Amino acid sequence: MASNPPTSDSLQAFEILKDIKPKFAMINQKEFFEHKFTGLKELSYLDREDVTLYCLTEEEFVFVRTTPGVNIFDTEEYPFVYNIQHKSAEEMLIASHEAVYQYLKTKPERDGSNIAYLHNPGRCGSTLVANMVSKTKQCEVQSEPTPVLNLSLIFNKKDQPVTRESREYLDLIKATFLLLCPDVNKKYFIKPWGIETMSLFPLLHQALPGIKEMLMCRDVRPTVLSFKKLIPEQIYKSIIPMKMSLQPPNYRDLWEKVKRGEGDPDEAFCFFILSTYHAYMEETRDRDDIKSYSYESLIEHKELFTKSFLKEIGVEEEYVQAAMSALEVDSQAKSSSHNQKRTAGVKASVSDETMEWAVKLAKEEFGIELEGEKGRVHNMPHQWNKV
């Protein structure tokens, strides 16, 4: 519904009349609501605990006020924060970037030291780890918040990839994360959407020097297989052009160089996963503060993994058993993309030919050494092990 643009010192408020979100939509957009403009509100309205950042565009931040008593960090109800926000939204609020920057200037200066962030390529156990952290009750967990994906997609559609020199984006990144994690007295854990979010690697630490970053990884072959089982066959075959268009421009260009024919979907998902690992390895050439954790090490050394991971994000060892209780349940059982029914009986494979292509790509284009039939990254830096 049309209205005047957000002003520099106020919020536009809209009553949400109807949820028109497509059944399987995976991220939040303000277009998913039928809404009615109700007036302007002071920026201080953002101080309310039931008002949270919902999504963002290149011009504005979009917030929602949710039903009283709803905890958007409750991963017991839904594993992904966008599910909870959309289901319980009662009011939508829009502010310009500049208005939000001015609002944040009235708050204490922060460097992100109460935020932990888990980079990941998707289908690697990152949702499980987020649920483990949630079980400790020591962190507010946000799994796949839409604004983080929005940030990445804004950067990815530029003509040139973002680098450490892209300092013009630091204010937007900092504002987004401080809005997602508003309470200075709480710890936050953010697990972003995988695949498209690697463009944050060179910028996140610059915007928030105190943030704690980690990477979750998994052997390439089972990761591709997990995607293949999750996504319906016809969509899996046709989704690649769209997914590739959302990648940073340097990776889009590289795909055009290395793809065979129109682009095999299994090879494309190998490419997506390896691109994330390449972005991590590029950022850690001169940094040793982003530890990597693998799904395989979690399965093989559950308790040791959990102790190390919790220590990394500042959670005491006494909460290890609480975290490990998440291993007993399906971490995505209530998600809209839950694969328990969709993958039951699904037979899929990733061919040896595809893995040979991935090994060659990894070595020649990314400097990544894959070993074994499952495609384990042999030279992953700063990787946790049980020693």
Side-chain angles (χ1 to χ4, degrees):
M1 184 170 292
S3 62
N4 294 326
T7 66
S8 61
D9 58 356
S10 64
L11 295 163
Q12 284 186 304
F14 300 84
E15 177 189 357
I16 293 173
L17 303 176
K18 184 180 179 182
D19 174 356
I20 54 175
K21 180 178 182 178
K23 184 176 181 181
F24 293 111
M26 298 296 292
I27 59 172
N28 290 331
Q29 300 178 35
K30 63 182 182 179
E31 289 78 17
F32 288 164
F33 295 127
E34 181 180 312
H35 48 275
K36 179 178 72 174
F37 179 65
T38 57
L40 300 177
K41 292 189 174 181
E42 297 292 327
L43 287 168
S44 58
Y45 196 71
L46 297 179
D47 292 338
R48 292 176 55 126
E49 289 189 0
D50 57 358
V51 173
T52 54
L53 184 61
Y54 180 75
C55 64
L56 64 91
T57 70
E58 291 191 75
E59 294 81 30
E60 59 196 22
F61 290 95
V62 181
F63 304 82
V64 289
R65 178 179 56 75
T66 48
T67 304
V70 169
N71 177 12
I72 70 163
F73 304 109
D74 181 10
T75 59
E76 297 290 340
E77 177 63 23
Y78 288 105
F80 304 127
V81 67
Y82 58 79
N83 294 136
I84 307 176
Q85 284 180 303
H86 192 87
K87 178 184 178 183
S88 57
E90 295 186 350
E91 184 178 30
M92 183 169 65
L93 305 132
I94 299 177
S96 68
H97 288 178
E98 187 57 37
V100 169
Y101 297 159
Q102 294 303 316
Y103 162 77
L104 290 173
K105 285 180 180 179
T106 68
K107 307 298 179 183
E109 180 63 25
R110 296 164 56 197
D111 67 354
S113 57
N114 63 332
I115 304 172
Y117 183 88
L118 185 63
H119 299 276
N120 70 91
R123 309 308 298 172
C124 62
S126 55
T127 300
L128 173 58
V129 169
N131 205 33
M132 292 170 68
V133 175
S134 179
K135 288 287 188 182
T136 71
K137 307 298 183 184
Q138 299 303 297
C139 296
E140 301 280 23
V141 174
Q142 294 207 36
S143 188
E144 301 190 5
T146 298
V148 174
L149 177 61
N150 295 149
L151 270 179
S152 300
L153 296 182
I154 288 171
F155 304 151
N156 292 353
K157 71 180 184 180
K158 303 297 182 182
D159 292 333
Q160 298 296 324
V162 296
T163 68
R164 290 182 180 179
E165 305 305 314
S166 306
R167 301 184 63 83
E168 66 271 24
Y169 302 123
L170 298 186
D171 286 345
L172 183 59
I173 295 171
K174 183 174 182 178
T176 300
F177 277 80
L178 295 187
L179 291 168
L180 287 171
C181 309
D183 192 333
V184 297
N185 297 313
K186 292 181 178 180
K187 293 178 181 177
Y188 292 88
F189 181 85
I190 295 178
K191 192 280 290 189
W193 189 275
I195 296 183
E196 291 95 357
T197 52
M198 78 276 279
S199 55
L200 286 177
F201 271 115
L203 296 174
L204 194 51
H205 185 259
Q206 290 193 76
L208 296 163
I211 196 169
K212 187 64 181 177
E213 298 175 77
M214 294 141 293
L215 171 73
M216 192 74 187
C217 58
R218 186 182 184 184
D219 295 351
V220 172
R221 189 177 220 148
T223 309
V224 175
L225 191 59
S226 183
F227 276 114
K228 194 171 186 178
K229 287 183 175 182
L230 174 69
I231 303 170
E233 183 178 1
Q234 292 305 313
I235 297 177
Y236 183 79
K237 291 179 177 179
S238 62
I239 199 174
I240 300 308
M242 183 275 289
K243 297 294 285 184
M244 199 61 67
S245 72
L246 302 179
Q247 302 305 301
N250 52 325
Y251 293 113
R252 295 199 304 266
D253 292 344
L254 180 58
W255 172 248
E256 291 301 314
K257 170 187 171 184
V258 302
K259 71 178 182 180
R260 299 194 290 187
E262 295 299 312
D264 176 79
D266 287 357
E267 292 177 1
F269 274 96
C270 288
F271 182 89
F272 293 143
I273 296 159
L274 290 168
S275 296
T276 300
Y277 297 159
H278 176 257
Y280 165 73
M281 295 171 78
E282 287 293 294
E283 179 60 17
T284 54
R285 286 181 181 275
D286 59 358
R287 291 179 61 185
D288 60 5
D289 59 337
I290 310 182
K291 189 173 290 187
S292 59
Y293 288 85
S294 74
Y295 176 76
E296 290 76 20
S297 62
L298 167 58
I299 298 305
E300 187 175 354
H301 307 289
K302 295 179 177 65
E303 186 168 352
L304 290 174
F305 177 103
T306 305
K307 286 180 179 179
S308 175
F309 195 90
L310 293 185
K311 182 178 179 180
E312 192 73 7
I313 64 174
V315 174
E316 291 75 11
E317 190 171 318
E318 65 184 278
Y319 298 102
V320 166
Q321 293 305 314
M324 290 180 64
S325 69
L327 298 170
E328 301 169 4
V329 298
D330 189 328
S331 61
Q332 297 190 21
K334 294 187 178 181
S335 74
S336 58
S337 62
H338 179 50
N339 63 333
Q340 187 175 49
K341 294 181 180 178
R342 293 168 66 182
T343 63
V346 172
K347 294 182 179 180
S349 63
V350 177
S351 70
D352 290 342
E353 182 184 358
T354 293
M355 290 307 300
E356 290 170 3
W357 178 89
V359 169
K360 185 174 185 291
L361 168 75
K363 182 177 181 180
E364 295 182 357
E365 301 294 343
F366 294 139
I368 295 174
E369 300 172 18
L370 296 183
E371 61 180 12
E373 65 175 19
K374 292 185 177 180
R376 181 162 300 181
V377 178
H378 176 68
N379 58 331
M380 184 72 78
H382 315 302
Q383 187 162 11
W384 175 83
N385 59 56
K386 67 177 181 177
V387 179

